[in-house]
Amino acid sequence: LKKVDIIIYGHSHINFIIIQYLKNKNYKIIDIKKKYINIIVLLKYLFSANANYTYRDYLIFEINLIKPKMTISSYDNDINFWKIADKLKCKTIIIQNGWRSFYNDIFSTQKKTNKKFNIDYICLWSEVYKKLYSKYLRGNFVITGSIKNNFFKIHKKKKIYKITLISQFRK
């Protein structure tokens, strides 16, 4: 296993935008779709004392084995990452990647629990989302707006003042 500074949790359109700014950093994208498993990590995991034989526990084991400084996820509505981040030995960051609602989303499917998951930094679009996520997560809430929109350059257009003449005809 190669030691990296940053783990990126899953393949996402926002993760690929963030990768553009990590050119000089060591990073690795962890597969969350169960397509790839590192055989060496799997063998170490199977023979470890705390193996529970779930893919989530395998990911926790793999990330802790790599020893990154931080793990970043743009899957803000993925309860599995919340559970994984709770057990990681590095900084964890969640970046909101889209609109959230009470219908067919994390806030309608997630049951109310007394347990709050620990995430070091939670980057959200607005105070409204901070209020919603604070019911489930504990950490530093940072209002960033849409990270995806923040990566586009602002083009200042010159104001063009035009005069339009409207002619009128009367008999």
Side-chain angles (χ1 to χ4, degrees), residues 82 100-103 105-110 129 132-133 136:
W82 298 1
R100 299 287 160 248
S101 70
F102 290 100
Y103 306 104
D105 206 343
I106 189 71
F107 301 120
S108 67
T109 59
Q110 179 62 22
Y129 290 113
L132 292 171
Y133 276 97
Y136 304 99

Side-chain angles (χ1 to χ4, degrees), residues 4-12 14-20 22 26-32 63 68 70-75 81:
V4 295
D5 295 330
I6 300 169
I7 295 285
I8 298 174
Y9 179 81
H11 298 276
S12 164
I14 296 211
N15 288 347
F16 288 113
I17 292 171
I18 293 169
I19 287 169
Q20 294 174 7
L22 299 177
N26 266 341
Y27 68 89
K28 177 180 180 169
I29 299 174
I30 293 285
D31 179 50
I32 61 171
I63 293 170
M70 72 177 74
T71 301
I72 302 172
S73 174
S74 63
Y75 292 95
F81 183 75

Side-chain angles (χ1 to χ4, degrees), residues 87-111:
K87 297 178 182 176
L88 293 180
K89 299 173 184 172
C90 64
K91 297 280 184 198
T92 53
I93 301 170
I94 284 183
I95 300 170
Q96 182 179 353
N97 70 11
W99 292 102
R100 299 287 160 248
S101 70
F102 290 100
Y103 306 104
N104 297 324
D105 206 343
I106 189 71
F107 301 120
S108 67
T109 59
Q110 179 62 22
K111 294 178 183 175

Side-chain angles (χ1 to χ4, degrees), residues 51-125:
N52 291 332
Y53 307 110
T54 64
Y55 190 69
R56 181 186 312 135
D57 289 323
Y58 164 81
L59 287 176
I60 293 167
F61 184 82
E62 181 180 11
I63 293 170
N64 285 334
L65 199 61
I66 294 172
K67 297 180 184 172
K69 293 178 184 174
M70 72 177 74
T71 301
I72 302 172
S73 174
S74 63
Y75 292 95
D76 59 299
N77 58 345
D78 182 5
I79 186 95
N80 284 319
F81 183 75
W82 298 1
K83 292 176 181 178
I84 287 171
D86 229 14
K87 297 178 182 176
L88 293 180
K89 299 173 184 172
C90 64
K91 297 280 184 198
T92 53
I93 301 170
I94 284 183
I95 300 170
Q96 182 179 353
N97 70 11
W99 292 102
R100 299 287 160 248
S101 70
F102 290 100
Y103 306 104
N104 297 324
D105 206 343
I106 189 71
F107 301 120
S108 67
T109 59
Q110 179 62 22
K111 294 178 183 175
K112 302 254 182 190
T113 63
N114 292 334
K115 177 169 174 43
K116 287 189 177 184
F117 299 99
N118 293 311
I119 309 285
D120 292 309
Y121 296 96
I122 304 132
C123 302
L124 299 172
W125 286 10

Side-chain angles (χ1 to χ4, degrees), residues 37-54:
I37 293 179
N38 186 321
I39 298 297
I40 295 169
V41 175
L42 179 64
L43 290 173
K44 284 184 178 185
Y45 171 66
L46 292 175
F47 292 109
S48 69
N50 55 355
N52 291 332
Y53 307 110
T54 64

